[in-house]
């Protein structure tokens, strides 16, 4: 696993976000295969020159996203990201649907809002 963290004041993202994003991308791209054992929080922090709390925050976010899983004393491993990502997306979609229904939006208006948000994030590829 190779991570490059920019800790300059002008860095685009805070160090914990850089750690999170790079591990997530490497896991999704298969560079870090499912089941790959990640370094300990302390070990990774030392190798990157970061505080242990910074790496711990990134690991917590990755675990919340379903990218990694902690198995107690056995360590932290890359999880099966595809199914976890799909479950997370379905959960978010369900929460969105419930929210817009409570707000009184019609189904068409709710779908339009989703399409607009997706275009904003992914760009217009149509």
């Amino acid at each position: 696993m190779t991570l490059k963290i920019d800790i300059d004041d002008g860095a685009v993202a805070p160090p914990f976000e850089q750690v999170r994003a790079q591990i997530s991308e490497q896991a999704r791209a298969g560079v870090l295969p499912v089941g790959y054992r990640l370094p300990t929080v302390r070990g990774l922090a030392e190798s990157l020159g970061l505080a242990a709390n910074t790496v711990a925050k990134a690991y917590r976010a990755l675990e919340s996203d379903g990218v990694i899983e902690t198995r107690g004393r056995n360590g932290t491993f890359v999880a099966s990201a595809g199914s976890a990502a799909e479950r997370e997306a379905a959960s978010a979609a369900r929460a969105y649907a419930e929210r817009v229904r409570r707000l009184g939006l019609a189904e068409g208006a709710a779908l339009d809002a989703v399409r607009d948000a997706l275009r904003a994030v992914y760009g217009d590829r149509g």
Side-chain angles (χ1 to χ4, degrees):
M1 177 173 77
T2 304
L3 302 178
K4 295 182 181 175
I5 307 302
D6 181 5
I7 55 174
D8 293 335
D9 286 337
V12 176
F16 88 89
E17 175 57 23
Q18 293 177 54
V19 171
R20 187 212 59 77
Q22 289 179 43
I23 291 175
S24 180
E25 177 56 35
Q26 289 181 27
R28 293 192 198 294
V31 174
L32 298 176
V34 171
Y36 176 86
R37 186 175 182 175
L38 295 169
T40 64
V41 166
R42 187 174 306 201
L44 184 56
E46 287 175 7
S47 70
L48 295 174
L50 297 172
N53 285 341
T54 300
V55 173
K57 185 174 181 180
Y59 274 22
R60 282 191 304 273
L62 287 162
E63 191 160 24
S64 175
D65 291 345
V67 176
I68 65 173
E69 59 187 6
T70 301
R71 300 178 191 161
R73 291 179 167 250
N74 293 322
T76 302
F77 299 84
V78 173
S80 177
S83 61
E86 290 167 7
R87 283 192 307 271
E88 180 72 21
S91 176
R94 188 174 304 108
Y96 171 76
E98 291 168 357
R99 175 79 172 143
V100 295
R101 185 171 182 190
R102 282 193 309 272
L103 291 171
L105 262 63
E107 183 177 337
L111 286 170
D112 288 344
V114 169
R115 285 188 196 96
D116 290 345
L118 289 171
R119 281 189 202 104
V121 171
Y122 286 98
D124 191 6
R125 297 181 189 172

